[in-house]
Amino acid sequence: MPLRDTLARADADLAAGRVPVARQRLRGLVSSFPNDLMLRRRLAEVYRLYGEPAEAGRWMYLEQDRDPGETSAFEARYRTAPQRMRALAWRGPESLAPSAFAREQLAAVRAACSDAMGHPVDWDTMPSGRSTDTKGSALTDFLAGAGCLVAVLAFLAIWLNGLAALFD
């Protein structure tokens, strides 16, 4: 569905009081057009209707006229640079941003994320949500593998016991 038609439907949903449906339509549009600041602004307005300042701050983060309280709420919810980078969901280089302020914000978040990760990152290869703590994740991976092995061995023991009982 074209952008204009989807925006018209979102407006109709808002007028009819179907705020969740309008929010979902706008989230889909922002996902499809992540570099459109007007769509981000519209989504922030919907989150204001929900009374969610952190999400409103998330979608207004690239705007110079953003609300400082919403920006603080966003930064409090997404504390680390990698979390903020994922939350902003930008695609492509900062040069695609239509304003100098947005370009500066995106560059600052990307630079902070690169510092936190210990290697350069860009908006198209964002870090995953997986923890960078290798000790904790190695232990978790080992325990998960051991649990799966125990489950498979238990299944085989029950199956072999049933097979032996069948021929007795």
Side-chain angles (χ1 to χ4, degrees), residues 67-81:
D67 179 85
E70 291 174 351
T71 301
S72 295
F74 166 69
E75 290 173 343
R77 179 173 291 171
Y78 301 95
R79 294 187 185 279
T80 67

Side-chain angles (χ1 to χ4, degrees), residues 114-125:
S114 293
D115 289 345
M117 300 299 292
H119 59 83
V121 296
D122 62 37
W123 290 99
D124 293 325
T125 58

Side-chain angles (χ1 to χ4, degrees), residues 19-163:
V19 178
V21 176
R23 183 199 66 190
Q24 193 61 34
R25 286 187 200 282
L26 289 169
R27 287 288 305 255
L29 284 174
V30 169
S31 177
S32 297
F33 303 97
N35 304 347
D36 189 331
L37 296 185
M38 181 270 304
L39 292 175
R40 289 171 175 265
R41 180 180 291 273
R42 300 268 311 260
L43 185 55
E45 291 168 3
V46 170
Y47 276 109
R48 283 189 197 103
L49 294 174
Y50 273 111
E52 291 190 34
E55 288 301 308
R58 172 185 183 183
W59 299 113
M60 284 293 290
Y61 197 73
L62 303 177
E63 298 284 354
Q64 193 161 8
D65 64 340
R66 64 191 185 182
D67 179 85
E70 291 174 351
T71 301
S72 295
F74 166 69
E75 290 173 343
R77 179 173 291 171
Y78 301 95
R79 294 187 185 279
T80 67
Q83 288 174 333
R84 287 185 192 146
M85 191 168 177
R86 280 189 304 277
L88 289 174
W90 186 262
R91 294 288 181 260
E94 291 96 8
S95 61
L96 295 176
S99 72
F101 182 80
R103 287 188 293 275
E104 290 170 9
Q105 289 298 110
L106 290 167
V109 170
R110 184 181 48 76
C113 185
S114 293
D115 289 345
M117 300 299 292
H119 59 83
V121 296
D122 62 37
W123 290 99
D124 293 325
T125 58
M126 276 185 270
S128 70
R130 189 174 171 103
S131 172
T132 59
D133 179 16
T134 56
K135 288 182 186 173
S137 65
L139 177 63
T140 303
D141 290 346
F142 172 77
L143 291 175
C148 289
L149 180 62
V150 167
V152 167
L153 290 175
F155 174 77
L156 283 173
I158 292 170
W159 183 76
L160 287 172
N161 189 28
L163 190 61

